[in-house]
Amino acid sequence: MESRAYLQQELAEVEAWEKDQNDLWFWEKLGRLPFVWLDKITPNFVRDKLGTAVDEMAAFLETGGTYLVSDAAIYSKFAQRLEQEQSGSRQPRAEEVAGAPLVLMDEVALNLKESRATFATVQGATTGIGGIFTLAIDIPLLLGTSLKVLQEMALCYGYRPEEKRERLFVVKCLQFASSDIVGKKAILAELSRFDEPTAQKDVIAQLQGWREVVVTYTENFGWKKLFQLVPIAGILFGAYLNRSTVQDVAEAGRMLYRKRRILERLRAQETAQRD
């Protein structure tokens, strides 16, 4: 178990990252300006895909839908390192991953972040070939990749996304990654109390606001639509945007789950000291 001083130092790093999550950057602001106009000229089949994204988010929150990931692939990445501390070569259990050193959790999470960003780059370039028309394919793919990478971040830090409450945390991470500074502050305030027993009823009640997450998320495609109006040129923009989107989502998930795990370990140490 890490020392209290080490955990407090790591917590300070996460809090410094939170303070750096300022307002939307210039291109995101630019993208929101033409969104209303772009929505009017968006083909109906693209609008249908946006509606499908809303339905798929609802299914994810309720049951995990088609986006629920397997823990085996993530836990296997811990197996070799944990073998050095334990006998045998079996797949580690959930509680063993939850108790793994923070530095190991970080290592696996960072590797996953980079590999998923690379996948998103190729995906964005491929769907950018046809301009705005292939955007109908790109939207559900990018949403799916974002939800899956967030679940992988959850598993890296010992949380179980098959639990409905944990899927809410995944959606909150997605919302955080696409919010402005006011939204980010509100979400951080909510998540800081996520594991407090007295606040859990309030957290579950927030499920009613999940549609706002999808609206915010899909609005961020505004400037992507603008640049993908020109076929072929969409390859460049699609590759860059998908990569940056997945990197931002993965980093938000990594830092927010990391903070939860650090706080839980600090609380456990305080309880042990009192006992």
Side-chain angles (χ1 to χ4, degrees), residues 115-132:
S115 66
R116 297 304 178 256
T118 300
F119 170 79
T121 304
V122 176
Q123 171 189 302
T126 303
T127 55
I129 293 174
I132 197 169

Side-chain angles (χ1 to χ4, degrees), residues 32-53:
R32 296 200 172 201
L33 296 177
F35 185 77
V36 174
W37 173 75
L38 285 167
D39 188 59
K40 293 179 180 178
I41 65 168
T42 301
N44 287 334
F45 65 86
V46 175
R47 292 185 186 181
D48 291 342
K49 285 297 179 182
L50 292 174
T52 301

Side-chain angles (χ1 to χ4, degrees), residues 89-228:
S89 57
R90 59 176 174 74
Q91 183 89 332
R93 296 189 298 270
E95 58 269 23
E96 291 171 339
V97 171
L102 191 63
V103 65
L104 175 55
M105 293 176 165
D106 292 341
E107 180 184 318
V108 175
L110 285 168
N111 287 338
L112 280 168
K113 172 188 169 184
E114 189 56 36
S115 66
R116 297 304 178 256
T118 300
F119 170 79
T121 304
V122 176
Q123 171 189 302
T126 303
T127 55
I129 293 174
I132 197 169
F133 298 102
T134 48
L135 186 66
I137 301 171
D138 188 45
I139 290 170
L141 284 176
L142 187 54
L143 176 63
T145 302
S146 298
L147 287 174
K148 286 179 179 179
V149 75
L150 284 170
Q151 291 177 81
E152 289 172 338
M153 293 298 113
L155 290 167
C156 285
Y157 289 93
Y159 297 99
R160 309 283 296 173
E162 72 269 20
E163 298 173 5
K164 186 174 183 179
R165 184 169 174 276
E166 290 302 328
R167 292 198 297 275
L168 173 61
F169 195 93
V170 165
V171 172
K172 285 293 180 181
C173 290
L174 184 64
Q175 184 181 17
F176 178 88
S178 57
S179 294
D180 59 19
I181 187 170
V182 176
K184 288 182 190 296
K185 286 181 177 178
I187 295 165
L188 286 175
E190 292 170 2
L191 296 185
S192 66
R193 303 187 307 118
F194 195 84
D195 292 309
E196 295 177 7
T198 56
Q200 288 190 11
K201 289 184 179 179
D202 293 336
V203 172
I204 297 300
Q206 292 167 18
L207 280 168
Q208 298 174 355
W210 63 267
R211 287 182 181 271
E212 296 176 13
V213 179
V214 185
V215 171
T216 302
Y217 189 77
T218 53
E219 279 185 358
N220 285 339
F221 288 104
W223 77 281
K224 185 175 182 181
K225 290 178 182 179
L226 178 65
F227 290 105
Q228 282 193 228

